[in-house]
Amino acid sequence: MQFTVFMMSAQVKLRHQALRGSAIIMCRFDAEYYSDMLFTEYDINFPVELVKAVPKRKAEFLAGRYCAKHALLQLGYSDSNVVIGKNRSPVWPRGSVGSISHDRARAIAIVKPRVALSDSIGVDIEKWVADFEVQNLRSVVTIMEEEDLFVRLNLSVRQVVTIIFSAKESFSKLCTIRLGNILGLKKLG
C-alpha cells in the first residue's frame, strides 16, 4: 500500500485552560496513492456524500477523519465515528467536541470532552497563500485595521493574509459548533 498516513500525536504544552484535556492528532498523507478501500482498512465509515467526490477530496476527508478517530480514542471515547452534519461540518460523538482541518498533504484534529453546552473549538491548517492569490483573498478576508496590527510585526502581506484567513476559518468552525451555522469571513472583520 502506497497511501500512508503518518500519525503524530502533538506534544504541545496546552497552557490555556480551555485546551487542557484535549487531544491533538496530526498526520501527513499523499492523495496520489488514495483508494476507497482505505476507509475499510482504517475502519472509518465511507459517507454517501463522498461517492462522487474526486480522489483528492476523499483522501483529505479520510486523513481528517483518521486524525479525529485517533484523537477520540486517545481520550477514551469508544465511539470514534465522526459523521457529516449540516453545512458539511463534523458531528462529534456525545460528550465530545472537536475540529478538523486539512490541506493537500496534512490533516489535523483537536478533540476535547464537552463539559458545557457552550464548549467549542476551531482549528485550521494552511500553507502560506500563493503570491498570485494574495490580492484576491486579501479583498475578501481582511480589513485594513487587521492588516495594520500585523504590519507592525514586520510580516509580509502574504503572511498577514494567510494568518488572518486561518484565524477566521478557525473562528468560523468554533461558531459553527456553537451556533450551528457558518459565518462569512467578511462578517468576522
Side-chain angles (χ1 to χ4, degrees), residues 24-27 67 99-102 106-110 123 125:
I24 302 171
I25 302 292
M26 183 175 174
C27 71
C67 291
S99 186
I100 301 169
S101 185
H102 58 76
R106 299 170 299 166
I108 188 169
I110 182 168
V123 69
I125 188 170

Side-chain angles (χ1 to χ4, degrees), residues 29-158:
F29 63 96
D30 186 342
E32 183 179 333
Y33 301 106
Y34 169 80
S35 163
D36 286 351
M37 294 183 313
L38 293 169
F39 276 89
T40 302
E41 186 173 327
Y42 291 122
D43 194 27
I44 295 172
N45 292 341
F46 184 91
V48 67
E49 294 89 343
L50 287 185
V51 169
K52 295 182 179 178
V54 298
K56 175 186 162 295
R57 169 71 183 118
K58 292 177 184 179
E60 292 167 348
F61 182 92
L62 175 64
R65 290 313 197 268
Y66 178 91
C67 291
K69 174 183 180 160
H70 286 278
L72 285 161
L73 291 172
Q74 184 174 314
L75 292 175
Y77 289 90
S78 58
D79 179 9
S80 59
N81 188 30
V82 180
V83 298
I84 300 174
K86 293 179 183 176
N87 300 320
R88 296 181 8 187
S89 57
V91 176
W92 297 92
R94 172 164 268 145
S96 67
V97 65
S99 186
I100 301 169
S101 185
H102 58 76
D103 64 14
R104 293 180 179 156
R106 299 170 299 166
I108 188 169
I110 182 168
V111 179
K112 68 178 192 169
R114 181 174 230 152
V115 178
L117 188 58
S118 61
D119 280 353
S120 57
I121 197 162
V123 69
D124 188 48
I125 188 170
E126 299 290 337
K127 291 185 184 263
W128 294 121
V129 172
D131 290 331
F132 70 90
E133 296 176 313
V134 168
Q135 289 310 315
N136 285 339
L137 193 55
R138 183 182 193 182
S139 67
V140 173
V141 173
T142 67
I143 58 174
M144 288 307 296
E145 293 84 358
E146 293 168 332
E147 289 187 35
D148 290 344
L149 290 172
F150 285 97
V151 168
R152 292 184 209 145
L153 297 173
N154 203 24
L155 298 172
S156 71
V157 174
R158 177 180 165 191

